[in-house]
Amino acid sequence: GAINCFVISPFSPTQRWKQLFDLICQIAEQASQAVGVQILCNRVDTVPSSGVIHPEIWRRIHAADFVICDVTGQNGNVMIELGVAAAYKRKEHVIIIRDKNDERPRLFDINPAHHLEYDPFDDNTEFAKQLIKVMADAVVSFPFEAMKHQSVQLPFHAALDDGNDVRTLFTPDIAHRRMLEIGRASCRER
């Protein structure tokens, strides 16, 4: 199965943002080779809609394995969608990027989050290296291993001060949608 990346960005001017999306798709192909699993990118203009689009975008954000969000220009729709992504996703599954030539200062509320900066007038070799690493880190954190069901006998006792993990306390990652089918090497949606 493929890993799905939802890209959030402004759309006007069209050519500028299409070039950025194409760059992200090229970088995702390189990251796919690095991690050994296909990463597919999509964005809102690939969402078919005949009316109010926000619920469909939010559904796509929730269903994506990770999100790349371009906060350049502090576009209102982008910032709302970043908030939705932050509510749905673990922090390593929300990647924030911005144009390093953006004249607006970083927003205080999201400034602590790591931002990758690109230059639309440069070859972006360094940006590509950084984004490949961040994408790989996001993919590595996905639960690709089915956990065995553990039954617990009560009363339950565990030594929590010896530095060893108590496997009985582990639970499946319910916030993520990927899991292995038993006996298969491919992933499927729940």
Side-chain angles (χ1 to χ4, degrees), residues 9-21 43 45:
S9 72
F11 278 91
S12 183
T14 307
Q15 188 59 29
R16 187 251 193 264
W17 297 108
K18 183 185 179 318
Q19 286 176 338
L20 176 69
F21 181 69
R43 63 181 188 164
D45 62 346

Side-chain angles (χ1 to χ4, degrees), residues 121-141:
F121 308 107
D122 193 11
D123 70 356
N124 287 299
T125 304
E126 189 58 35
F127 172 70
K129 287 180 192 174
Q130 292 173 352
L131 188 53
I132 288 169
K133 181 186 180 324
V134 173
M135 284 181 171
D137 290 346
V139 170
V140 165
S141 70

Side-chain angles (χ1 to χ4, degrees), residues 99-163:
D99 182 336
K100 73 181 196 178
N101 302 305
D102 190 355
E103 295 175 2
R104 291 179 179 239
R106 290 184 179 194
L107 290 173
F108 174 80
D109 294 331
I110 63 170
N111 197 36
H114 185 66
H115 291 57
L116 300 181
E117 293 189 334
Y118 64 90
D119 188 340
F121 308 107
D122 193 11
D123 70 356
N124 287 299
T125 304
E126 189 58 35
F127 172 70
K129 287 180 192 174
Q130 292 173 352
L131 188 53
I132 288 169
K133 181 186 180 324
V134 173
M135 284 181 171
D137 290 346
V139 170
V140 165
S141 70
F142 294 154
F144 282 109
E145 182 179 300
M147 295 186 69
K148 293 180 182 177
H149 176 69
Q150 305 242 347
S151 59
V152 177
Q153 298 284 339
L154 296 177
F156 175 75
H157 300 284
L160 300 176
D161 57 358
D162 63 0

Side-chain angles (χ1 to χ4, degrees), residues 22 26 65 74 103 107 179 187:
D22 291 345
Q26 291 169 6
D65 294 298
Q74 301 170 6
E103 295 175 2
L107 290 173
M179 63 184 210
C187 294

Side-chain angles (χ1 to χ4, degrees), residues 86 89-95:
K89 303 284 178 211
R90 291 167 32 177
K91 67 178 180 157
E92 62 269 22
H93 298 157
V94 179
I95 301 168

